[in-house]
Every structure is written in C-alpha cells, then in structure tokens.
Amino acid sequence: MWTTLLIIIAIGVFIFTKVFIIVEMREEVIQERLGKYTETLKPGLHFLIPFVDRAAYRQEMREQVIDVPSQTCITKDNIEVEVDGLVYVKVMDSYKASYGIHNYKLAAINLAQTTMRSEIGKITLDDTFSEREQMNENIVREIDKASDPWGIKVLRYEIRNIRPSDNLINTLEKQMEAERDKRAEITTSTGTRDFKINESQGERQEAILISEARRQKRINEAKGKAREIELIAKATSKGIKRISEAIAKPGGDLAVKTQLIEQFIGQLGHIIDRSNVSVLPVETANLKTFFEGVDKVSDHSRATSSTSKSQRG
C-alpha cells in the first residue's frame, strides 16, 4: 500500500513538473515544442504539454558580472604585464542569447581578453595606467559590436589589475630610488647655492650700506667744515670792515700803529723771558722816545678837542 502511494506521488510530481513551469521574475524561459522554438515564457506560471513541450533555456535577465581571468600582454615598448578585469553584460534578447551563440559568457571573456591584448600593445607601460579609462571604453565598444548578434549588451568593462613582471618591478624600484636620490642631491645643492647667493648678497648689501654711511659722514663733515669756514670768513670780513671803518676815522691810523707796537712789545717780552739775552737791538732802545712822542701827540689832540668845545659853548 505504501509503495503504491509513493508511486502515485512520484508520478504526480513528475507530471506537475512536466506540465507546469514557474518562471521567476529575474529570468525568461525559452519553450520548445518537438525541438522547435515556440515562444519565450515571461515570469509567471505556464502550462506545457507533457513529452511535447520543454523548457529548453533559462536566461538570466539581470546585469551580470563576468570575471575576466588574468593574462599576459606585451606593451608597445616590449614589456610583459599581467592584466585582468571585469566585464558587465546584460541579456537583452533571450532568443538570440539562446540560439545566437553557444555560451555568451565564455565568448565575452575571450573577446575581452583578445581586445585587451590588442589595446595594451598600442601603448607603452607608462601609459597603461594613465590611459586605463580610454582602454575600458575601447574594449566595451569592440565587444559590443561583436555581441549584438548574441542578444547581449556590454555595459562596461573595468581593468582590475595591471601588474608588470617581478624583474621589471625590481628594476623600476631601483630606478625610482635613484631618481629620489638624484632629486635629494639636486634639492641639497640648490639649497646650498641659494644660501651662498643670499650670503653674498647680504655681504654686498652690508658693504654698500657701510660705504654709503662713510660717504654720508664725509659729506656731512665737509659741509660742517665749509659752514665753519664760511662763518669764520664772514666774521673776519665783518671784523676787517669794522677795523677799516675805525682806521678811517680821525686818530685811527695812530691807534692801529699803537696796537701793533704793543703786540710787538708783548711778543718781544715773551721772547726775552724765555731766552738769555743781554744786549737789545737799537730799535728797542728807541721805543721810549717813540712813546714819549705818542704821549705828546695825544696831549695835543686832547687840548685841541677841549678848545673846540669851549668855542662852541
């Protein structure tokens, strides 16, 4: 009895799976009848004729990410690099995706690798990193042209890794280290040069300022001396003018002579005091007679002046 029940349940399940099919929201199913395409089943519950109809293909209608394995490529400057990436595709026509190609995923991977090798061969190693965006666009464009009969749409391609060989990496590291050392030496030498230039400019500026200060000092001293000479000359000129005016007056000539004789006697007295002189010149002995004559002249001048005043009175 239990065996019969199990057989009936198994037959029921078999008939249900063959007669009814459930299509999920994310997919489409290609229905064939006697080996020939009938229709594309959309999401929902569908009825199939047992042993006549069958679900031949189930196609994923969401965007799919396909991993492109790493491959060795040669750049324009003959350097080997390993490149891998990701390609994003979406089934646009489930009929073409089922009958247009056997395996569109494998075809997309192979086409991406082929296009990548071609694009890498067009540029140098230095440009592989800077031109990454352009390479992605070129790969998408080439795959999209070939994949149109497959019923899929290539949305984008992303290069994941670009890795040079280990020997090249070591060489580049040494080159970068040498370049850093070179830049450090250049920076040091530039700093030393700027220091010497600034120091020499400072010394030059200092020398200029010192010379300017000395020149200005000499100018100021010369102006001071010139001013002093000018003042002395003006004072001397005024003195001489006053002396000349005094000489021009009555008795002025005699006063001048008297002043000169007094100065002469004073200087002669100093000389006699400082030296041992026992005999004097004849002119010195006659000075007494000269002074007596001067006294008489002075007395006569005073008498004349008094007479004139009395007559006027």
Side-chain angles (χ1 to χ4, degrees):
M1 179 179 180
W2 291 105
T3 305
T4 304
L5 181 60
L6 291 175
I7 293 173
I8 292 173
I9 293 174
I11 293 173
V13 172
F14 176 77
I15 293 173
F16 181 82
T17 54
K18 292 295 183 180
V19 173
F20 297 99
I21 182 173
I22 297 175
V23 180
E24 297 182 6
M25 189 65 188
R26 60 181 175 79
E27 64 182 2
E28 290 183 357
V29 175
I30 300 299
Q31 178 185 349
E32 290 183 353
R33 179 168 295 170
L34 299 177
K36 185 178 180 181
Y37 169 78
T38 303
E39 63 175 327
T40 300
L41 303 180
K42 302 297 182 180
L45 179 64
H46 299 273
F47 174 77
L48 299 178
I49 299 174
F51 307 105
V52 176
D53 296 335
R54 73 183 184 94
Y57 302 99
R58 288 180 177 267
Q59 300 294 349
E60 177 70 49
M61 303 305 294
R62 294 178 298 182
E63 183 177 347
Q64 302 175 64
V65 181
I66 304 175
D67 186 11
V68 180
S70 177
Q71 62 174 335
T72 301
C73 302
I74 299 176
T75 62
K76 187 178 181 180
D77 47 354
N78 296 324
I79 296 176
E80 291 186 358
V81 292
E82 293 184 359
V83 184
D84 60 358
L86 298 172
V87 59
Y88 296 80
V89 299
K90 181 179 176 63
V91 175
M92 308 301 294
D93 189 335
S94 57
Y95 175 82
K96 291 182 179 180
S98 300
Y99 298 104
I101 191 170
H102 173 67
N103 188 338
Y104 65 85
K105 292 183 179 180
L106 180 61
I109 291 173
N110 292 332
L111 187 56
Q113 289 181 327
T114 303
T115 308
M116 174 56 67
R117 286 195 297 269
S118 176
E119 292 296 325
I120 291 292
K122 296 177 182 178
I123 58 178
T124 61
L125 177 64
D126 295 336
D127 295 334
T128 55
F129 298 95
S130 61
E131 299 293 334
R132 176 177 282 188
E133 190 67 28
Q134 185 63 38
M135 285 192 296
N136 291 337
E137 294 178 0
N138 294 339
I139 293 172
V140 169
R141 184 170 56 252
E142 293 299 325
I143 298 176
D144 199 44
K145 289 180 183 178
S147 63
D148 184 64
W150 306 343
I152 64 173
K153 175 69 174 177
V154 179
L155 302 178
R156 61 187 180 276
Y157 181 88
E158 295 292 339
I159 297 175
R160 188 161 51 186
N161 292 313
I162 300 177
R163 179 178 176 80
S165 62
D166 294 337
N167 292 333
L168 180 61
I169 292 176
N170 294 332
T171 303
L172 291 177
E173 289 179 352
K174 292 179 180 179
Q175 182 179 357
M176 291 176 63
E177 184 177 359
E179 189 67 24
R180 285 194 296 268
D181 293 340
K182 176 183 176 182
R183 287 198 297 267
E185 292 178 358
I186 291 174
T187 303
T188 303
S189 62
T190 302
T192 303
R193 183 195 64 184
D194 293 341
F195 171 75
K196 291 182 178 179
I197 291 174
N198 293 334
E199 186 178 14
S200 62
Q201 288 180 348
E203 293 176 353
R204 174 175 174 270
Q205 190 66 25
E206 181 182 3
I208 292 173
L209 293 176
I210 292 173
S211 64
E212 287 290 336
R214 290 177 178 174
R215 184 176 69 88
Q216 190 63 38
K217 179 182 178 182
R218 290 194 297 270
I219 292 173
N220 293 337
E221 290 177 351
K223 288 181 178 180
K225 290 180 180 180
R227 182 61 178 169
E228 180 182 0
I229 294 171
E230 182 181 358
L231 293 175
I232 292 173
K234 287 182 178 180
T236 303
S237 175
K238 289 181 180 179
I240 293 172
K241 183 178 180 181
R242 290 180 180 178
I243 291 171
S244 62
E245 291 177 353
I247 293 173
K249 292 180 180 180
D253 186 20
L254 182 60
V256 172
K257 292 179 179 180
T258 303
Q259 183 67 26
L260 292 176
I261 292 171
E262 288 179 355
Q263 290 181 359
F264 175 76
I265 293 172
Q267 293 297 328
L268 181 62
H270 288 298
I271 294 171
I272 293 172
D273 291 338
R274 294 178 183 177
S275 60
N276 296 322
V277 179
S278 299
V279 180
L280 295 175
V282 178
E283 290 80 2
T284 306
N286 294 329
L287 288 175
K288 182 178 180 182
T289 305
F290 174 78
F291 280 110
E292 290 177 354
V294 170
D295 290 337
K296 290 180 180 181
V297 172
S298 298
D299 293 338
H300 178 71
S301 297
R302 283 194 296 268
T304 304
S305 178
S306 299
T307 303
S308 297
K309 288 181 180 179
S310 61
Q311 290 177 357
R312 290 175 184 176

